[in-house]
Amino acid sequence: MRKFLRGLNPEQAEAVATVEGPLLVLAGAGTGKTRVITVRMAHMLANGVDPSSILAMTFTNKAAGEMRERVAKLVGDGPAELLTVGTFHSYCLRLLRNHSAEIGFPKGFTICDAADQLTAIKGALRELRIPEASIQPSALQARISLMKNRLISPEQALAMPGDETDDLVARAYRRYQDHLRRSRNLDFDDLLLEALRLLRENAEVRERVQDRFRYLLVDEYQDTNGPQYEMVRIIADPQKNVCVVGDDDQSIYSWRGADVSKILGFERDYPGAKVVRLETNYRSSQEILDAANKIIRNNPSRHDKTLRSHLGRGELIQAVQSPDETVEAEYVVRDILERTKRREAALGDFAILFRTAVQPRNFEAELRARNLPYVLVGGQSFFDRKEVRDVLAFLKLMANSKDEVSLLRVINCPPRGVGKTTIDKALEFATEQGISVCDAFDRADEIDGINEKAVDAVQRLRGRLKALFSGSTGRDLVPLVQQLLDTVSYRDEVNRCYPDERTREVRWNSALEVLNMAENYVRRAKQPSLRRFLNEMSLSGTDDNSKEQAGKRDAVTLMTLHAAKGLEFPRVYLVGLEEGILPHIRSVQEDGIEEERRLMYVGITRAQQALTLSYTATRAKRGARVPSHQSRFLYELRGEAPPADWIAAGTPREEAERIREAARKAEKAQRKKAGKKASRKTSSRRRAAR
């Protein structure tokens, strides 16, 4: 079946036609990666490969959905439905649901999402009597997640050498895991870890999975972490029919566990692997790609590749220096306004990309001042709204009676007279006994001095939820949610929290939106159930849905470089190109300069037609105005060495002061020399006049 190869360039066609054996597809930015993946699956199906033997894994629900839709358009809905296409997390969840008994987990376990994790982290700190001022719960959550992604257990963390903070993190990690276990919860990282443990320890399950999935395809392979890498290796082991697609030059997520060495070492892991390089770019002009190539070739650890444009030379890249960050924002916004007035572009064509989350403030102020609409990507997700989280917490508690995170969230929502003292006594007893808070309330008669009326209120709530759940079926999910809202008097909670009538209505509609989500789920699901619905909601909340708005509205897009990956815009402003910002000072200090260079590369390759690089002469830091130094990446673009007075990010204070002093002396000597030269010219003119 050659029809699927038509319209592909030679490298794309080679990647599509290679079905057997290990294959590494190095897909540079804008080279048609998604097309290659989907056409490859369609080509395999057309050549007789059983669709149920193909497992394709990616990192977002959106990418997985798009993959399946594209395959369906090529080969029809029937074969496409038999493919297993999804995120790593969704596949692991399915595996664990089918084999929960083999790993000693109850079938009714629930997923603890990011906000619930934070609540559990705070609970762990409270149990250890550690004030939140000692370490931010969000920072602790990130460190625990990173350890899990590096396959470090709580016991290993405790045994590792380190300072007091490292010890605190390890103890909180262990207590956090205890908290999840007694609540019958798994967090997102645990989905990967427990699925990996199942495959490693249970030979029967492992062989069944290996026997079924004879062809494995992994998208964005450069973003895989430790558990994901190990899982791919195990599933692919017998047949070695594994195709991984990615770009090491776009590996920018080490802070959440991604390990670029995995894609760099693919040929070592799979001897004899075929490597196909996709280097023809269909997104950007050659001017933009030349800049990207110049930057990234400075990274010593990478697969060699050079992007070539299918579109021609294009506009010259602009580099602009502004006196300070306020003028920088004024220049960028004024340039956008002038270009839209001249009808060179629409507002939705423009993106302002920055390294840190604090940078957009000046750009927002300037856009507002000129009444220009904009979208700041990364705003509050629908799943983070209080009302949605409250309703989902009630449903989680209904599905898992031991889910203490959910119980503690809704215990006084609306108020039931359960005071802080009652909650603290129950928590203390639960910690002492190694049980959940829910179990502690069941054994309240053993807790000295606990308020009996408060305990009765909690137990009545749990009893009502249990009664609602006991008679329901999966198809009854929508009326179940409606009954829940009535049973717990949630409208009263909304009225209590928001005195303004308009705000009340907006917030109540957010709660009712869960009904719409339930209806959509039941309509699509083959075997609907409350637990499956909750799992789907938890996994859906992991995608950054605000990215979908980027470039789709007639509004300027503002976003971080990390968030911009995978997107493209006709006109891009890459701002704040200064030492300490890009590259970021923390990354420089932690020897992460190669990843910072990859971030610069990602930023450049978001641009299709025009790219402006912006930096400032001074910038406010800690309330003082300090000189800025151009990013080293700008010098790499020009092919120049930095001047003698340039100070790299991370330079020790004494060394930086020495460079400044040398620059002051050189400037003074230059002025003195210029003065003498001017004096000689004056004397010469006087002699000539005589």
Side-chain angles (χ1 to χ4, degrees):
M1 287 277 187
R2 302 277 311 167
K3 65 176 182 178
F4 293 118
L5 304 182
R6 294 181 199 136
L8 301 177
N9 66 38
E11 294 77 25
Q12 291 174 330
E14 185 180 8
V16 166
T18 304
V19 173
E20 303 293 327
L23 171 66
L24 169 62
V25 181
L26 293 169
T31 57
K33 168 179 71 74
T34 305
R35 185 182 185 196
V36 166
I37 292 171
T38 52
V39 172
R40 185 175 188 272
M41 283 195 282
H43 177 74
M44 291 168 69
L45 297 179
N47 280 276
V49 172
D50 180 358
S52 65
S53 71
I54 298 174
L55 171 61
M57 290 197 281
T58 186
F59 283 84
T60 67
N61 298 302
K62 181 174 179 284
E66 184 180 343
M67 214 180 278
R68 189 187 291 278
E69 284 174 19
R70 288 199 188 189
V71 174
K73 285 180 181 177
L74 293 170
V75 299
D77 292 336
E81 278 295 313
L82 296 174
L83 295 166
T84 301
V85 181
T87 64
F88 276 95
H89 290 90
S90 63
Y91 173 71
C92 290
L93 174 62
R94 188 187 313 178
L95 191 65
L96 293 174
R97 282 280 178 229
N98 293 335
H99 302 284
S100 58
E102 283 93 327
I103 56 168
F105 261 82
K107 212 169 183 76
F109 73 82
T110 49
I111 300 172
C112 185
D113 65 20
D116 292 338
Q117 288 174 46
L118 204 56
T119 302
I121 290 282
K122 291 177 179 178
L125 289 173
R126 186 173 57 245
E127 290 171 11
L128 291 168
R129 307 289 191 270
I130 296 170
E132 290 182 18
S134 299
I135 184 168
Q136 282 189 335
S138 57
L140 178 56
Q141 180 183 357
R143 287 194 60 174
I144 290 173
S145 177
L146 190 58
M147 283 191 284
K148 289 186 176 187
N149 289 329
R150 290 176 175 168
L151 295 171
I152 299 171
S153 68
E155 292 70 29
Q156 289 170 320
L158 283 163
M160 291 167 68
D163 57 21
E164 287 184 11
T165 301
D166 295 325
D167 180 63
L168 183 156
V169 170
R171 288 189 293 125
Y173 179 13
R174 182 170 61 181
R175 192 59 64 98
Y176 167 70
Q177 285 303 108
D178 291 343
H179 189 107
L180 294 182
R181 194 173 295 111
R182 68 178 185 244
S183 300
R184 294 182 182 173
N185 274 332
L186 293 177
D187 66 17
F188 292 122
D189 298 319
D190 287 334
L191 290 176
L192 303 176
L193 290 171
E194 293 300 329
L196 177 60
R197 182 164 72 88
L198 175 66
L199 291 173
R200 279 177 167 174
E201 297 178 3
N202 192 302
E204 184 182 344
V205 173
R206 180 174 65 250
E207 288 167 10
R208 200 181 307 159
V209 170
Q210 290 172 336
D211 188 54
R212 177 182 173 183
F213 296 117
R214 306 177 73 81
Y215 296 91
L216 187 58
L217 193 152
V218 184
D219 186 20
E220 303 286 8
Y221 190 65
Q222 78 280 350
D223 293 338
T224 50
N225 59 29
Q228 290 161 342
Y229 165 80
E230 289 294 331
M231 202 176 308
V232 169
R233 190 183 59 77
I234 289 171
I235 297 174
D237 185 50
Q239 308 295 331
K240 301 290 194 298
N241 292 328
V242 55
C243 169
V244 302
V245 184
D247 182 8
D248 50 295
D249 291 335
Q250 296 186 74
S251 181
I252 58 173
Y253 297 119
S254 66
W255 47 276
R256 66 185 191 199
D259 186 351
V260 70
S261 71
K262 305 307 183 193
I263 191 170
L264 294 176
F266 185 81
E267 292 167 273
R268 180 195 64 239
D269 294 338
Y270 299 92
K274 188 170 190 175
V275 179
V276 177
R277 288 171 169 80
L278 305 183
E279 297 175 302
T280 303
N281 177 286
Y282 298 91
R283 174 193 298 161
S284 307
S285 69
Q286 192 61 51
E287 284 289 332
I288 291 166
L289 296 185
D290 283 347
N293 290 330
K294 282 179 186 175
I295 284 291
I296 204 63
R297 69 167 62 115
N298 289 282
N299 268 2
S301 303
R302 62 183 292 264
H303 287 290
D304 185 44
K305 52 192 145 357
T306 302
L307 295 179
R308 302 178 300 273
S309 178
H310 187 70
L311 306 175
R313 292 296 325 169
E315 296 181 30
L316 292 174
I317 294 172
Q318 304 295 314
V320 179
Q321 183 184 46
S322 301
D324 56 46
E325 62 269 37
T326 302
V327 179
E328 179 184 47
E330 289 171 354
Y331 168 79
V332 169
V333 174
R334 186 171 64 249
D335 193 50
I336 291 171
L337 189 58
E338 288 172 358
R339 291 181 185 279
T340 53
K341 282 182 177 177
R342 294 197 300 265
R343 300 198 174 180
E344 293 179 15
L347 287 173
D349 293 338
F350 295 94
I352 303 171
L353 307 183
F354 38 84
R355 173 64 176 86
T356 68
V358 298
Q359 285 175 264
R361 187 179 66 248
N362 289 302
F363 295 94
E364 286 193 82
E366 191 63 25
L367 288 162
R368 286 172 183 265
R370 293 179 180 266
N371 292 316
L372 291 178
Y374 66 90
V375 175
L376 179 62
V377 174
Q380 187 185 42
S381 162
F382 169 78
F383 293 91
D384 289 333
R385 296 176 191 175
K386 177 188 183 300
E387 294 71 34
V388 175
R389 296 200 60 75
D390 286 349
V391 176
L392 291 178
F394 278 118
L395 291 170
K396 285 180 180 181
L397 189 59
M398 191 184 291
N400 177 4
S401 63
K402 296 185 184 298
D403 189 340
E404 67 179 52
V405 170
S406 295
L407 175 63
L408 293 173
R409 180 177 183 90
V410 299
I411 201 165
N412 274 316
C413 176
R416 294 183 180 83
V418 185
K420 183 177 182 300
T421 302
T422 299
I423 295 171
D424 287 346
K425 283 180 179 292
L427 280 167
E428 188 174 352
F429 182 78
T431 303
E432 289 171 357
Q433 300 295 318
I435 59 176
S436 71
V437 168
C438 305
D439 288 336
F441 277 109
D442 288 337
R443 293 167 56 180
D445 57 338
E446 300 176 41
I447 304 174
D448 291 336
I450 197 164
N451 186 314
E452 292 182 10
K453 286 186 177 179
V455 171
D456 286 343
V458 173
Q459 298 300 67
R460 280 198 304 274
L461 169 65
R462 295 175 68 203
R464 288 200 295 270
L465 294 178
K466 185 177 180 180
L468 272 178
F469 186 46
S470 61
S472 68
T473 66
R475 294 288 168 193
D476 296 335
L477 188 57
V478 176
L480 178 66
V481 176
Q482 183 63 69
Q483 283 180 282
L484 168 72
L485 294 172
D486 295 337
T487 299
V488 301
S489 305
Y490 193 71
R491 186 72 193 247
D492 293 345
E493 170 71 357
V494 174
N495 293 341
R496 180 182 72 85
C497 293
Y498 309 105
D500 176 67
E501 186 175 347
R502 179 177 291 184
T503 304
R504 278 203 305 267
E505 203 57 34
V506 170
R507 296 288 184 161
W508 177 241
N509 285 335
S510 291
L512 294 180
E513 190 61 29
V514 180
L515 284 169
N516 297 333
M517 293 191 297
E519 191 278 331
N520 282 323
Y521 164 75
V522 171
R523 184 162 40 83
R524 288 183 289 104
K526 292 177 182 176
Q527 292 181 305
S529 73
L530 174 58
R531 290 193 178 104
R532 289 194 181 99
F533 170 68
L534 291 171
N535 291 335
E536 187 170 300
M537 290 304 98
S538 294
L539 292 176
S540 296
T542 61
D543 279 2
D544 183 2
N545 296 317
S546 61
K547 284 181 72 168
E548 295 184 26
Q549 299 303 313
K552 291 187 178 179
R553 284 175 43 190
D554 191 26
V556 179
T557 299
L558 281 73
M559 65 196 317
T560 64
L561 289 166
H562 284 101
K565 184 173 173 290
L567 301 179
E568 57 190 41
F569 304 89
R571 312 188 78 88
V572 168
Y573 298 87
L574 189 45
V575 302
L577 293 179
E578 299 142 39
E579 286 290 300
I581 296 179
L582 186 66
H584 195 277
I585 179 64
R586 186 175 61 248
S587 295
V588 173
Q589 292 168 339
E590 296 174 357
D591 198 26
I593 192 65
E594 288 193 36
E595 182 155 325
E596 291 295 295
R597 192 173 281 111
R598 293 195 290 268
L599 264 177
M600 178 78 172
Y601 173 85
V602 165
I604 291 171
T605 53
R606 297 314 93 195
Q608 296 170 292
Q609 302 166 13
L611 175 65
T612 299
L613 307 175
S614 173
Y615 55 99
T616 68
T618 67
R619 191 173 287 269
K621 291 181 182 175
R622 294 188 177 90
R625 181 134 311 265
V626 298
S628 300
H629 292 269
Q630 289 183 42
S631 168
R632 66 190 71 189
F633 303 144
L634 290 172
Y635 292 108
E636 290 175 3
L637 275 176
R638 301 187 193 108
E640 301 174 355
D645 62 348
W646 179 80
I647 300 175
T651 301
R653 185 176 299 175
E654 298 79 8
E655 175 67 9
E657 190 51 48
R658 188 191 63 74
I659 294 171
R660 291 191 193 97
E661 183 59 30
R664 283 193 289 267
K665 285 180 179 178
E667 186 181 356
K668 188 176 179 181
Q670 189 67 29
R671 284 200 304 268
K672 189 175 180 181
K673 185 177 179 181
K676 285 181 178 179
K677 193 173 182 181
S679 177
R680 283 197 299 271
K681 283 184 178 179
T682 302
S683 299
S684 177
R685 281 196 296 272
R686 284 173 181 166
R687 284 195 299 272
R690 293 195 193 105

